[in-house]
Amino acid sequence: MLPSLGAVIAEFALVCLLVALVPVTVYLDTTVLGDGVSEESLTEHLHNVFLAVAVAIFVLGAYRHVGMRGYLTLVATLFACMFLREYDVVLDRIQHGFWIYPALLALTVGCLIAWRNRGTTLLPMLHHLQTRSATFVYIGVVLLLFFSRTFGTGALWEAVMAGAYDPQVKTTVQEGIELLAYLLIVYGAVLSHLHGYGAQAALQERRL
């Protein structure tokens, strides 16, 4: 069923507001709070919040949708490991690099659950990736794992800024892109949950 024009306009406005959250947050960190985009900044805390929400949504999906449990568990596991890596500033208080231990535990548990439900992995993934909600998720992942890393490299910004190079500028740009990526991921996760992770498409295919 096609969405109404009002629904399209409302979602467009919502996405614009969410995207605007990125420069506003960076501005608060650098100008209002005055601490820059550090490990304890509002930007970094939002990274963790968005990832935690994404993990919770996919864990809930894996619990509710038995026929998609393998795939949703793997997605939840990926985001859980990413969350623990982002949260290393707190876990380092226990021991430097301590995040790797809970991340390995999460990876082991997630892979075991996915293996036990391996018949619910490939097709559910394909059905989910057909949905527009999944598009937000994987664009966010691409921005996070590839674009932010390449666009935020020191060599690039050293070439751009030459003698005026300031590593804080590079860090601010990279962390801002990462915040946008996490925002897209969590928005796509919310939409995925609301739309059943593509389960409706799978049901229609079975009927055909």
Side-chain angles (χ1 to χ4, degrees):
M1 184 175 65
L2 291 175
S4 67
L5 179 60
V8 172
I9 294 174
E11 184 178 29
F12 178 78
L14 175 60
V15 172
C16 288
L17 286 173
L18 291 175
V19 170
L21 178 66
V22 175
V24 168
T25 303
V26 171
Y27 178 81
L28 289 174
D29 275 330
T30 56
T31 304
V32 178
L33 300 178
D35 293 329
V37 185
S38 64
E39 292 290 342
E40 296 290 346
S41 64
L42 181 59
T43 300
E44 284 287 348
H45 287 310
L46 282 178
H47 288 181
N48 298 331
V49 169
F50 288 156
L51 265 178
V53 172
V55 171
I57 287 173
F58 281 100
V59 167
L60 180 61
Y63 174 76
R64 289 187 175 178
H65 298 272
V66 179
M68 307 184 78
R69 182 164 292 166
Y71 164 64
L72 296 178
T73 297
L74 287 177
V75 177
T77 301
L78 170 64
F79 291 147
C81 292
M82 290 166 61
F83 169 79
L84 291 166
R85 179 64 183 89
E86 281 284 350
Y87 213 54
D88 66 335
V89 65
V90 174
L91 296 175
D92 278 350
R93 296 171 185 169
I94 302 173
Q95 177 186 330
H96 182 68
F98 185 81
W99 71 271
I100 193 68
Y101 301 112
L104 286 173
L105 177 61
L107 180 63
T108 301
V109 172
C111 287
L112 285 174
I113 295 173
W115 176 254
R116 291 183 61 184
N117 296 273
R118 55 190 177 277
T120 61
T121 301
L122 181 58
L123 285 178
M125 178 185 72
L126 296 176
H127 286 303
H128 183 224
L129 292 181
Q130 291 182 62
T131 65
R132 61 187 296 273
S133 54
T135 302
F136 286 101
V137 176
Y138 65 69
I139 287 178
V141 170
V142 169
L143 280 175
L144 179 68
L145 299 182
F146 299 100
F147 184 74
S148 71
R149 296 294 181 267
T150 54
F151 198 71
T153 56
L156 173 62
W157 288 95
E158 286 175 9
V160 171
M161 302 180 71
Y165 174 70
D166 182 352
Q168 184 61 35
V169 173
K170 184 224 43 141
T171 300
T172 301
V173 169
Q174 184 172 10
E175 296 298 328
I177 294 172
E178 288 185 11
L179 181 58
L180 175 62
Y182 288 128
L183 192 150
L184 291 175
I185 288 170
V186 77
Y187 183 70
V190 171
L191 288 183
S192 296
H193 179 74
L194 293 176
H195 299 157
Y197 306 92
Q200 188 61 36
L203 181 60
Q204 290 175 351
E205 183 176 282
R206 292 193 198 101
R207 288 174 178 173
L208 294 174

